[in-house]
Amino acid sequence: MEHIYINDNEVDILLNDIISLYGYDFSEYARASLGRRINRLFVLDKFVSFAELRYRVKTDPDYFSHFVEEITVNVTEMFRDPLFYKALREEVLPVLATHPFIRIWHAGCSTGEEVYSMAILLQEANLLHKSLLYATDINPKVLEKLRAGIFPLSQMKQYSENYIASGGKEVFSSYYTANYDRAKFDSNLGKNIIVSTHNLVSDRSFNEFQLIVCRNVLIYFDKPLKDKAFQLFEESLEKLGFLALGSKENLKFSPVGKKFRQLDNRQKIWRKIE
Amino acid sequence: MEENRITRGSGLVVVGGSAGSLDVILKVLPLLSERLLIPVIIVLHRKTSDDNILVELLAAKTKLPVKEVEDGDIITPGIVYVAPADYHLLIEKNGGLSLDASEKINYSRPSIDATFESAALAYNTQLTAVILSGGNGDGTEGLKAVKEHKGVAIAQDPSTATAPYMPQFAITAIPMDAILDAEGLAEYINQFS
């Protein structure tokens, strides 16, 4: 991005349009990141003026859908931060195993690489058959990719390395079928995944879970919105349930933080203690 | 220039570097005043695995507190912040630091351009941005934004850099306020103490 094309005032104007026309509220997103992504889109889609972008967003619902897909970050990986997955394997799944039925919510799951990673963990712990994985995102387009369970083949070498570092003992490629440049994951892994749109800004809790995974989503929110999301997670967790965040995220700054205890210092997993 | 130095660039120093830049940083840190009145942010290209080692290494070289940025940190004077591996680091206008795990920019995450650009928007004339040794062009676009917002742009003297390409690329593209070696850079930063 060479220059700043769209300034803060224009971002405000655009966000107001979007709230009133489409009901999506991005006003409490961290502004530096949001501004950067809107400017990135402006360059990618070769707009010549802010007015042109604004007109397109207001008048073309298909473009708006593309806009949401592009300004919300959908970069994700399988077994991202392998030691995090190792901690899930060793410290969280043995606790979940004691439940007759396991409900896990992946909030802001994007294209679902982490949901499939979890399904693999559960299968290896022989828990998948009694688990439901709720995969939600604000953005319906990324959820289509998740439903298909198809990911770029070019990533598989990295994912396989991550998987092994997470303590995986199987041959990673046994979980998918390679076809041209795509890897389609075993449909058995997707069987217990329930896919739905959910907006962390505006939607409420919809179930009670033993584990909520929300990694690198809240980093895009400002402090009040972050606190609101943490509140929502707290309300959606059973007592002694687990909350898993991204490697640089922290629950301790939130008002509900005192209701949780971090598992250990290195992985960002908390347990609801009251 | 002396007067400019006092009134401009006095709010935040952001340092970006790639290959060879750790050498310079390890020379600068021990020379920094313990009574520094501004925050210093360091953005380094590196592998994802060596996070803790890097922060410990930097902390051992200075009496100033060194902190790897976590989501939600508020910029505080006298602290040396390090951008975490695998995230872009952005500076918010309200004084917060935010992380961004989006696409790599020019094959880099963290991207020096992204941090410099957001810092330019947040700090304007109060920003000093420093580009160190490295083998690619990251940082130059960010320095353009710094100059557009009337901040101070400084490059490491390429003759002192292990990988002179990065500072040289910036010097060719942008009129620098100063071209300094490690001692000169420490001296520049220490005026804000």
Side-chain angles (χ1 to χ4, degrees):
Chain A
M1 188 172 68
E2 198 167 330
H3 298 278
I4 307 302
Y5 299 92
I6 293 174
N7 64 38
D8 269 359
N9 291 336
E10 290 165 342
V11 170
D12 283 335
I13 292 168
L14 196 60
L15 298 188
N16 280 330
D17 289 344
I18 290 170
I19 293 171
S20 57
L21 276 167
Y22 299 100
Y24 283 84
D25 184 359
F26 293 106
S27 64
E28 291 182 289
Y29 275 53
R31 191 50 73 93
S33 178
L34 185 67
R36 193 175 77 76
R37 294 200 66 77
I38 293 175
N39 274 289
R40 171 184 167 276
L41 188 62
F42 185 86
V43 174
L44 282 179
D45 290 345
K46 301 185 170 63
F47 287 105
V48 295
S49 67
F50 169 68
E52 196 195 7
L53 167 67
R54 184 185 181 196
Y55 180 78
R56 189 80 191 276
V57 167
K58 284 176 75 168
T59 57
D60 182 347
D62 286 338
Y63 185 78
F64 173 69
S65 157
H66 166 71
F67 177 88
V68 172
E69 188 179 5
E70 289 296 326
I71 65 163
T72 55
V73 174
N74 294 304
V75 178
T76 175
E77 272 177 39
M78 292 189 79
F79 295 96
R80 181 172 190 159
D81 308 320
L83 294 181
F84 166 80
Y85 281 90
K86 199 167 197 293
L88 284 181
R89 276 182 201 277
E90 292 172 357
E91 295 174 55
V92 177
L93 293 197
V95 178
L96 298 188
T98 63
H99 290 75
F101 203 75
I102 302 167
R103 284 184 309 275
I104 299 172
W105 178 15
H106 285 264
C109 64
S110 187
T111 42
E113 280 83 340
E114 296 210 272
V115 187
Y116 273 84
S117 309
M118 182 70 78
I120 289 171
L121 291 194
L122 290 164
Q123 173 147 310
E124 293 184 1
N126 195 25
L127 298 172
L128 186 59
H129 64 280
K130 63 165 182 173
S131 303
L132 277 183
L133 293 92
Y134 293 77
T136 69
D137 201 276
I138 182 178
N139 179 352
K141 277 203 170 165
V142 297
L143 294 176
E144 287 169 21
K145 295 182 186 166
L146 190 160
R147 278 197 187 91
I150 297 172
F151 304 116
L153 192 60
S154 57
Q155 302 292 315
M156 290 305 139
K157 186 174 172 289
Q158 176 68 50
Y159 293 174
S160 176
E161 286 167 14
N162 289 356
Y163 165 78
I164 292 164
S166 81
K169 295 193 171 48
E170 305 299 319
V171 178
F172 188 64
S173 59
S174 66
Y175 288 115
Y176 62 83
T177 313
N179 198 354
Y180 298 101
D181 56 348
R182 310 266 125 185
K184 178 163 188 3
F185 277 72
D186 185 356
S187 58
N188 192 46
L189 290 171
K191 222 171 47 187
N192 295 0
I193 300 175
I194 296 170
V195 182
S196 165
T197 59
H198 182 278
N199 185 341
L200 287 169
V201 178
S202 54
D203 294 342
R204 301 311 306 162
S205 177
F206 57 93
N207 212 327
E208 206 172 33
F209 301 93
Q210 282 111 24
L211 168 61
I212 296 175
V213 181
C214 184
R215 304 182 72 216
N216 293 329
V217 177
L218 305 189
I219 55 175
Y220 304 110
F221 293 179
D222 69 10
K223 174 90 169 79
L225 184 53
K226 230 173 251 170
D227 288 343
K228 223 166 90 180
F230 281 135
Q231 174 77 34
L232 174 62
F233 293 153
E234 194 270 327
E235 288 165 8
S236 308
L237 271 177
E238 280 186 12
K239 194 180 172 187
L240 300 178
F242 297 91
L243 175 60
L245 303 176
S247 66
K248 304 302 165 197
E249 295 178 297
N250 212 317
L251 182 60
K252 73 180 177 198
F253 305 117
S254 133
V256 299
K258 57 184 184 303
K259 297 184 176 180
F260 288 84
R261 186 177 53 78
Q262 194 171 0
L263 281 198
D264 67 46
N265 294 324
R266 299 182 63 86
Q267 297 309 322
K268 296 303 175 63
I269 304 174
W270 280 262
R271 193 155 195 201
K272 186 176 163 184
I273 50 172
E274 61 178 74
Chain B
M1 186 72 193
E2 202 54 43
E3 197 176 311
N4 280 349
R5 282 190 176 188
I6 293 163
T7 53
R8 294 168 61 217
S10 56
L12 173 68
V13 175
V14 183
V15 179
S18 189
S21 63
L22 190 56
D23 299 347
V24 201
I25 289 166
L26 293 177
K27 279 185 197 146
V28 171
L29 282 177
L31 301 175
L32 292 184
S33 162
E34 283 175 55
R35 287 184 296 279
L36 208 56
L37 299 174
I38 53 162
V40 176
I41 294 176
I42 299 174
V43 181
L44 289 184
H45 294 162
R46 62 188 191 281
K47 285 191 192 139
T48 56
S49 52
D50 50 13
D51 259 30
N52 290 321
I53 302 164
L54 178 70
V55 174
E56 282 165 26
L57 180 63
L58 298 182
K61 294 286 177 184
T62 170
K63 295 223 168 70
L64 293 165
V66 177
K67 186 180 192 310
E68 189 185 56
V69 174
E70 268 204 317
D71 185 44
D73 281 345
I74 304 294
I75 304 176
T76 310
I79 294 186
V80 176
Y81 293 95
V82 182
D86 221 19
Y87 290 84
H88 300 304
L89 173 61
L90 303 175
I91 318 296
E92 298 286 342
K93 285 182 177 164
N94 63 10
L97 291 167
S98 60
L99 297 175
D100 177 323
S102 62
E103 306 84 354
K104 290 182 179 178
I105 302 171
N106 295 322
Y107 310 102
S108 303
R109 187 174 56 216
S111 149
I112 299 167
D113 282 335
T115 305
F116 281 3
E117 279 166 3
S118 67
L121 287 170
Y123 277 77
N124 297 300
T125 61
Q126 303 302 302
L127 175 70
T128 298
V130 183
I131 192 82
L132 302 179
S133 175
N136 59 47
D138 192 16
T140 292
E141 291 304 326
L143 285 171
K144 283 182 189 163
V146 171
K147 292 313 295 176
E148 278 168 21
H149 288 82
K150 309 274 190 287
V152 176
I154 295 177
Q156 181 185 358
D157 181 344
S159 70
T160 70
T162 317
Y165 182 87
M166 199 151 93
Q168 189 58 57
F169 189 73
I171 290 166
T172 309
I174 299 150
M176 290 290 164
D177 293 280
I179 296 170
L180 303 171
D181 62 6
E183 287 75 21
L185 181 56
E187 203 176 306
Y188 173 83
I189 296 172
N190 279 339
Q191 65 179 310
F192 308 118
S193 59

